[in-house]
Amino acid sequence: MSEIKNTNTDFEVRSLDAMCINDEEKKVPMWSNLQYLVFGILFGIVLIKSEVVSWFRIQEMFRLQSFHMFGVIGSAVVVGAISVFIIKKFKIKTIRGEEIILPKKDFNKGQIYGGLIFGFGWAMTGACPGPLYAQLGYGASVIIVSILMAMLGTWIYGLMREKLPH
Amino acid sequence: MSIIEMIKQPWPWYVAGPVIGLMVPILLIFGNKTFGISSSLRHMCAACMPAKIPFFQYDWKKEIWNLFFVLGVFLGGIVSAYYLKNDANVLVNEKLVTELSKYGVSDYSSIIPNELFNWGSLQTPRGFILMVVGGFLVGFGTRYAGGCTSGHSIMGLSNLQLPSLIATISFMAGGFLMANLILPYILSL
């Protein structure tokens, strides 16, 4: 009984703002998560080799001194948008034959306040969350401090959530 | 030039961007997952220190794919460091070089400035602010905004979500303000 109750609140909490509210219906074995490890490795290599993880490149971007970062993000969005369009248009299913669900996002003021706060942090650390992990792997051991602080920031947000304007 | 030598060179935006964009359909097709990185921080909080906070009361094991993904990003960094490293300096705009030299930043041999980000500088005011305060703002801000560059700027924009556009504009606005108006003071410390 408590199990069922947990599952319901779980969905409710997750749907508030989790980026991954969609799930596979079918039970998938644990080892199938290894595919995400492989995709992550590919993503990490791209981040490093395109210097998206470079503090210097982020400074250039925010000073409008280079097109590089805008080109990376812009072309990523174009390719992503075309892919999503094709998936919707042809009702492409997952490899396990499930319908692909694309969650809609609702506007709340957190996207502005939180967005600005993240922007500050992005310009300071020169990294968004993905690059932090890649920088650590690349050998910048001190970045573990930034990652732990990012976890703490997330935790404090969770703690203060009800009191913050949304 | 051999293929491996080509891969070792810095990749141009028109190669990197499309590969990053392809993460969107890959994750959707291979498991109905929406691309997003900052959620991993929330899952780690939920796993390590939920502390009865409602925001962390959910079954994080259901989201474990996300932790596999970021572990992969970390391993991707290791693979790049061991097999794909190139010894050339990071080439940046001359204006930036001139500006940063005023703050004693002149080492471009690594992707991050060695003068600013190291264990020793953690005890200096500017190192502390950049790494500790900056890291905190990244975690707090992304969760408050409901996503980061990957979740909002790439996944959200690809799905034509207006809130993601608002979030992306806010990220950029915050970054412009910090880099141009506030960061010079921090770097002078």
Side-chain angles (χ1 to χ4, degrees):
Chain A
M1 192 59 202
S2 67
E3 181 66 28
I4 293 165
K5 202 178 157 220
N6 269 340
T7 316
N8 287 338
T9 45
D10 166 34
F11 181 75
E12 212 170 77
V13 172
R14 289 166 69 207
S15 64
L16 287 175
D17 82 339
M19 301 308 300
C20 37
I21 53 167
N22 45 353
D23 250 325
E24 284 173 290
E25 294 286 316
K26 294 170 192 165
K27 278 276 169 209
V28 290
M30 195 63 180
W31 58 260
S32 74
N33 281 305
L34 288 175
Q35 69 186 14
Y36 301 110
L37 191 77
V38 175
F39 302 148
I41 291 172
L42 174 67
F43 186 58
I45 292 174
V46 180
L47 290 180
I48 296 277
K49 292 318 297 178
S50 60
E51 296 178 339
V52 166
V53 298
S54 172
W55 187 88
F56 298 112
R57 289 259 175 237
I58 302 300
Q59 299 308 323
E60 273 185 333
M61 166 174 72
F62 287 136
R63 287 170 177 74
L64 300 176
Q65 291 168 338
S66 166
F67 177 73
H68 183 76
M69 285 296 304
F70 295 102
V72 169
I73 298 175
S75 58
V77 172
V78 169
V79 169
I82 294 171
S83 310
V84 169
F85 176 79
I86 292 172
I87 286 173
K88 281 181 178 169
K89 174 100 179 164
F90 297 99
K91 297 191 170 58
I92 291 173
K93 293 196 157 59
T94 69
I95 49 167
R96 292 187 177 79
E98 291 178 12
E99 190 190 342
I100 289 178
I101 307 155
L102 288 149
K104 283 208 174 355
K105 290 187 212 292
D106 295 319
F107 172 74
N108 70 65
K109 292 189 217 82
Q111 283 137 12
I112 297 173
Y113 302 138
L116 288 170
I117 293 170
F118 164 52
F120 293 158
W122 192 6
M124 289 161 81
T125 59
C128 28
L132 285 177
Y133 296 111
Q135 288 177 345
L136 182 66
Y138 201 59
S141 60
V142 71
I143 298 301
I144 189 74
V145 175
S146 301
I147 294 177
L148 290 172
M149 287 310 296
M151 271 179 76
L152 181 66
T154 303
W155 192 83
I156 296 289
Y157 168 75
L159 186 70
M160 295 172 54
R161 186 163 207 271
E162 304 303 319
K163 299 188 184 84
L164 294 166
H166 277 89
Chain B
M1 207 188 306
S2 72
I3 288 180
I4 195 81
E5 282 303 313
M6 268 176 72
I7 292 174
K8 280 184 180 180
Q9 303 301 310
W11 298 4
W13 62 265
Y14 49 83
V15 173
V19 179
I20 293 172
L22 282 175
M23 286 292 149
V24 170
I26 287 175
L27 291 175
L28 286 170
I29 289 170
F30 277 85
N32 229 342
K33 305 288 187 270
T34 43
F35 184 41
I37 305 270
S38 62
S39 314
S40 64
L41 296 164
R42 183 183 181 187
H43 306 327
M44 288 192 280
C45 285
C48 303
M49 41 183 181
K52 299 209 164 63
I53 297 169
F55 191 62
F56 301 119
Q57 303 304 312
Y58 61 94
D59 186 5
W60 61 271
K61 291 191 195 77
K62 273 190 178 171
E63 316 286 358
I64 201 147
W65 77 272
N66 199 254
L67 298 178
F68 274 87
F69 189 80
V70 297
L71 178 64
V73 176
F74 168 74
L75 294 176
I78 296 180
V79 170
S80 307
Y82 280 91
Y83 301 105
L84 304 172
K85 201 163 197 161
N86 112 31
D87 296 321
N89 283 354
V90 180
L91 286 175
V92 298
N93 192 302
E94 278 305 315
K95 283 185 198 151
L96 185 67
V97 175
T98 313
E99 188 195 329
L100 291 179
S101 66
K102 286 190 274 183
Y103 310 115
V105 177
S106 55
D107 182 356
Y108 292 84
S109 63
S110 185
I111 50 169
I112 55 173
N114 292 322
E115 292 106 336
L116 296 174
F117 295 87
N118 61 62
W119 287 99
S121 73
L122 203 53
Q123 289 147 29
T124 65
R126 74 175 183 181
F128 182 86
I129 293 173
L130 291 180
M131 288 180 271
V132 175
V133 180
F136 182 90
L137 295 180
V138 167
F140 187 89
T142 50
R143 204 67 275 122
Y144 196 176
C148 60
T149 330
S150 54
H152 272 312
S153 308
I154 295 177
M155 182 64 226
L157 289 186
S158 294
N159 196 22
L160 311 178
Q161 297 293 300
L162 183 62
S164 292
L165 181 63
I166 294 169
T168 302
I169 292 169
S170 305
F171 299 163
M172 290 294 170
F176 277 103
L177 287 174
M178 173 56 69
N180 294 290
L181 302 179
I182 310 173
L183 199 66
Y185 293 100
I186 300 174
L187 291 176
S188 308
L189 290 174

